[in-house]
Amino acid sequence: MMNVKNNKFALLLAASAVSLALTGCGGDDGTDGNSGNPGGSAANVVNVLNLDVTKVSYQDGMSTIEVFATNEEDLPVVGLKDLEVKAVAQLTPQGATGAGNSAQWQATYSSPRSYSDKLKPVDLKNGNYSFTIPIEDYNSDLTQRYNIIASASTLQDGVTSVPRTELSEDFSGDGYQALYTKDIVSTETCASCHATGEAIYHSYTSAETCASCHTQEWAEDRDKPELAFTHLVHNVHNSAKGYKADRDTGELTKDAVKAHALLQDNCQTCHIAPEDGSGELTEWGNWTRVPTMETCTSCHVDIDFKAGKGHSQQNDNSNCIACHNASWTEELHMSGFVEKKALIDQYAMEATLTAVATDAGSDTTLSITITGADGAAIDAATLLTSIEQLESITNVGPNFPVMGYKDNPETGEHKVLINLVKNGTLDEDASIVDGKFVTTITNLPYGEVGADTDTAFSFIGLTLCNDGTALVACGEGVDSTSMKAELAHGTLSGEAPSVRHTDSVNFGACESCHGTEWELHEKYHAGFVMTEQLGRVNEAGEMIVGIDGCTSCHTPDGIGYSGQGLAIEMKLHKTHSQGDYAAIKGMNCSQCHNDFNFDAFKVKGALATSSGKYSTPIAATCGSCHSYSDSFKPHAEGQGAIIDGSYAAANDAVQLETCFLCHNPSINNHTAVKM
């Protein structure tokens, strides 16, 4: 028999007991308290559910734990209806199951699938819930993990809603704070792409829950190596092979195309070192330090270690580290990304856009200077043969561009795309002047002084041919890399330019998922990587790297090959939101948005929502996510919006949309309404 052992909250609970002894048995609110527990009201609203394992004890093959539940105001939550222990696992140390093997979670309890068979907690009516758990093969020398799930449900009253919450908490084998654990990638890192609190797969939201169930032992018992977490987590993030086996054929039928396109085999997108001194993710470096057959074959699918195919024959992991030491493994997997970043950082661009009035209208001169890492200008002539593409896209009116993706339906104007250089050859409309690339655009459709259309803007992309570390002459079979982009503004009047707002979305949000070397649009354009070069200093003195340059091409009347609108206000939502276009399940507004700038709608007009059809801007923007709802169209039209009408009708109705009289969306709750 073991004595009850309390975790890190033992001192806190003891202090509370002393406090109660000094103030009497009643609670501090004047009501009587239960013996050993403070009095007071339980939570009647649970917007946030906090869980914590506060006691652990073992006796006769059974583990007894107490889980303490509170809401966002630290009030105890009584009457939880759907609270369960999903799994209990213990951690066998590195090498314990065989030389070279990584530390492995071993399940000692798994919750039954049937609801009627699940363990039911004892509600102690003070925020504490007691579970008595049958455990197998328990070893008191090993770290023990308790995985607790509260499903999205209600309290016992059937009315008070409770959000889904997961908790994984580790203890030493006798119930104290764990001396060691195995967390290689944090749930917070996963949440940079997968929305916080949203299901990653099945219904589960945390990496710790996944690892607690998808153990190596569980996978081997089923003869399905792809089910072990260290193998599975790589399968679902690269396209080397499929995942999720067909029940009848066993064929891995799903492909991780979208995830692979984002991560591009960059291990350090997920394997991120913790902050020094944090004490977190103590085994984050295992991806280089502990190579194993089980993990490596998730990406290197052409290898059969035991058969000696694609690798020297071996039956276990005992000799892996002899060749694959940590520094070599990191270099092998990361050298391409390191070299690419170093190459990108060697070059930058500076551009000016200068307009002058002429008898025929106007001449707008775009001048582009290529600079080195030190900021010094580089003579364009010396780089010419190494430039695969130097592309400029110019438009007028940063807040609501008036030059169409193709032809604007009202003016017939379309964006001006000039490849100043293509495959090392200077375009006939470009020249090199004083070491700079220069081109002149005639008769842009400038508007009145002070209007948004007094400003032209050019988005510039650059692709350089290279051998991985240095520039080379472009040619067949030569690799190329999209570099940093540049954005230039200029006015015909000579007044300060109008600029598009950058307080809604910035590249910081994009980089959290895509990374800093992700090449955007490299297949169809020069492409670019998301860097500070596109930034502007805002009123608060902060450098903000916005997506405002994208509007040079993603115009309000743009229609893609699919027949759907390309306006930036809609395209990004369609690409990232739920539905047929979803990149990642469960994404929410706050993952991309810093804020919502409702004033921006005051300067917008009709947006093309499908081929030949236009909608008012608020409805079009909201409809880019809510287009799957049958109720959306009549609701929006009831508030003055036009959905899929004519260009003229949608423009005429822009000021009639009254959505924000009732709706008050925020990035954390875009469904909020004014009461």
Side-chain angles (χ1 to χ4, degrees):
M1 175 178 177
M2 289 187 141
N3 293 326
V4 173
K5 300 291 185 180
N6 298 332
N7 71 350
K8 58 187 177 182
F9 288 88
L11 293 178
L12 177 61
L13 294 174
S16 298
V18 171
S19 176
L20 287 171
L22 292 175
T23 58
C25 295
D28 59 10
D29 58 354
T31 62
D32 291 336
N34 294 326
S35 178
N37 290 286
S41 301
N44 55 19
V45 174
V46 188
N47 294 317
V48 176
L49 179 63
N50 303 302
L51 300 175
D52 189 36
V53 178
T54 57
K55 292 183 180 180
V56 181
S57 66
Y58 299 91
Q59 182 176 353
D60 301 330
M62 306 291 283
S63 169
T64 300
I65 66 171
E66 283 192 13
V67 179
F68 188 48
T70 58
N71 73 348
E72 64 275 13
E73 296 179 347
D74 291 329
L75 294 174
V77 176
V78 176
L80 284 174
K81 187 169 63 174
D82 294 302
L83 182 69
E84 67 169 308
V85 177
K86 176 65 179 174
V88 182
Q90 59 189 7
L91 183 61
T92 57
Q94 179 183 336
T97 60
N101 287 354
S102 61
Q104 295 176 9
W105 290 107
Q106 178 189 49
T108 57
Y109 170 79
S110 296
S111 179
R113 287 180 176 270
S114 171
Y115 178 80
S116 60
D117 294 334
K118 292 182 184 295
L119 290 177
K120 304 299 190 296
V122 177
D123 188 344
L124 302 180
K125 307 300 183 183
N126 57 6
N128 287 293
Y129 297 80
S130 178
F131 288 91
T132 300
I133 311 160
I135 53 176
E136 297 180 359
D137 302 321
Y138 163 71
N139 186 334
S140 63
D141 293 329
L142 303 181
T143 294
Q144 308 291 318
R145 169 169 289 180
Y146 289 86
N147 180 234
I148 316 296
I149 307 289
S151 298
S153 181
T154 65
L155 297 181
Q156 294 290 350
D157 61 13
V159 176
T160 306
S161 61
V162 177
R164 181 182 177 85
T165 305
E166 293 181 21
L167 169 71
S168 289
E169 200 158 354
D170 298 342
F171 297 88
S172 67
D174 53 4
Y176 289 114
Q177 185 173 345
L179 299 178
Y180 73 101
T181 191
K182 181 184 179 181
D183 282 324
I184 295 175
V185 174
S186 70
T187 295
E188 289 74 20
T189 297
C190 300
S192 64
C193 286
H194 298 277
T196 302
E198 294 288 340
I200 295 176
Y201 203 71
H202 303 307
S203 60
Y204 305 114
T205 63
S206 72
E208 294 84 358
T209 297
C210 300
S212 298
C213 288
H214 286 270
T215 65
Q216 186 69 38
E217 183 182 47
W218 183 72
E220 290 175 354
D221 286 347
R222 287 157 178 77
D223 195 28
K224 293 182 177 180
E226 70 275 4
L227 294 181
F229 184 65
T230 53
H231 191 103
L232 175 68
V233 74
H234 294 101
N235 273 14
V236 299
H237 289 96
N238 76 82
S239 294
K241 62 178 177 181
Y243 66 95
K244 194 174 183 180
D246 183 273
R247 289 184 181 274
D248 297 323
T249 66
E251 183 182 358
L252 301 175
T253 55
K254 287 205 170 185
D255 196 352
V257 174
K258 292 177 181 177
H260 199 180
L262 285 175
L263 304 184
Q264 300 181 71
D265 299 320
N266 187 338
C267 304
Q268 290 186 344
T269 301
C270 299
H271 293 283
I272 300 173
E275 293 184 8
D276 291 340
S278 69
E280 298 175 346
L281 296 179
T282 53
E283 296 202 12
W284 82 274
N286 273 17
W287 73 276
T288 62
R289 192 172 57 83
V290 190
T292 65
M293 298 185 298
E294 294 80 14
T295 299
C296 295
T297 51
S298 59
C299 293
H300 300 283
V301 297
D302 54 346
I303 292 177
D304 184 334
F305 286 99
K306 293 184 179 181
K309 177 186 175 182
H311 191 280
S312 57
Q313 188 175 24
Q314 61 184 71
N315 292 318
D316 55 41
N317 297 310
S318 56
N319 289 322
C320 295
I321 197 65
C323 296
H324 300 273
N325 63 66
S327 59
W328 184 80
T329 300
E330 181 174 358
E331 180 183 355
L332 187 67
H333 288 82
M334 294 304 302
S335 60
F337 298 100
V338 172
E339 290 171 356
K340 179 178 179 180
K341 187 176 189 316
L343 177 69
I344 290 171
D345 287 343
Q346 286 183 46
Y347 301 95
M349 285 188 289
E350 295 176 357
T352 59
L353 202 59
T354 306
V356 295
T358 66
D359 292 339
S362 66
D363 285 342
T364 303
T365 300
L366 173 64
S367 176
I368 303 168
T369 302
I370 310 295
T371 66
D374 58 358
I378 300 174
D379 187 345
T382 65
L383 294 174
L384 185 60
T385 59
S386 296
I387 297 177
E388 182 181 74
Q389 191 173 8
L390 177 61
E391 175 191 47
S392 69
I393 301 173
T394 301
N395 214 312
V396 171
N399 288 287
F400 196 72
V402 298
M403 304 177 74
Y405 177 76
K406 293 181 179 176
D407 289 345
N408 181 289
E410 185 175 48
T411 66
E413 298 279 359
H414 59 84
K415 68 183 189 298
V416 179
L417 190 153
I418 300 173
N419 281 307
L420 287 81
V421 180
K422 195 72 178 287
N423 296 320
T425 301
L426 191 67
D427 188 84
E428 61 181 13
D429 290 330
S431 59
I432 296 176
V433 179
D434 297 330
K436 303 175 183 180
F437 291 106
V438 177
T439 189
T440 298
I441 307 166
T442 59
N443 297 330
L444 287 174
Y446 287 106
E448 297 178 355
V449 177
D452 192 46
T453 50
D454 181 39
T455 299
F457 62 109
S458 293
F459 189 73
I460 305 132
L462 172 67
T463 307
L464 295 177
C465 297
N466 64 89
D467 61 6
T469 58
L471 300 189
V472 298
C474 296
E476 186 175 351
V478 175
D479 290 333
S480 61
T481 300
S482 297
M483 307 297 285
K484 300 176 181 179
E486 173 71 335
L487 178 62
H489 293 80
T491 62
L492 181 61
S493 67
E495 300 292 328
S498 172
V499 294
R500 189 180 175 93
H501 71 281
T502 55
D503 57 354
S504 181
V505 175
N506 70 54
F507 276 169
C510 304
E511 288 176 353
S512 67
C513 194
H514 291 283
T516 56
E517 286 80 55
W518 187 69
E519 296 176 65
L520 186 60
H521 284 317
E522 81 282 6
K523 292 181 180 179
Y524 308 107
H525 298 279
F528 62 96
V529 295
M530 298 180 284
T531 69
E532 76 293 337
Q533 185 165 305
L534 290 170
R536 284 201 313 274
V537 176
N538 66 10
E539 294 178 357
E542 302 166 321
M543 175 64 76
I544 301 296
V545 186
I547 61 170
D548 42 333
C550 302
T551 59
S552 62
C553 197
H554 286 274
T555 65
D557 47 15
I559 294 293
Y561 296 110
S562 62
Q564 295 164 338
L566 288 180
I568 197 69
E569 295 87 349
M570 300 186 306
K571 179 62 176 177
L572 290 179
H573 291 137
K574 283 190 174 294
T575 302
H576 293 89
S577 67
Q578 295 188 25
D580 294 341
Y581 306 95
I584 296 170
K585 180 181 178 182
M587 288 196 71
N588 55 46
C589 304
S590 62
Q591 284 185 271
C592 299
H593 281 276
N594 309 307
D595 200 354
F596 289 150
N597 188 327
F598 301 130
D599 288 339
F601 286 106
K602 296 177 181 178
V603 295
K604 296 184 190 300
L607 300 181
T609 42
S610 60
S611 183
K613 297 180 180 179
Y614 289 78
S615 302
T616 43
I618 299 175
T621 302
C622 296
S624 57
C625 288
H626 292 280
S627 56
Y628 304 98
S629 169
D630 292 336
S631 62
F632 174 77
K633 188 174 188 290
H635 175 75
E637 289 178 336
Q639 311 307 311
I642 295 292
I643 305 290
D644 285 342
S646 69
Y647 178 79
N651 264 325
D652 289 344
V654 165
Q655 302 303 320
L656 301 179
E657 287 187 298
T658 58
C659 304
F660 297 139
L661 290 181
C662 296
H663 290 272
N664 187 31
S666 69
I667 61 173
N668 294 313
N669 181 12
H670 81 282
T671 64
V673 295
K674 299 174 183 177
M675 302 298 292

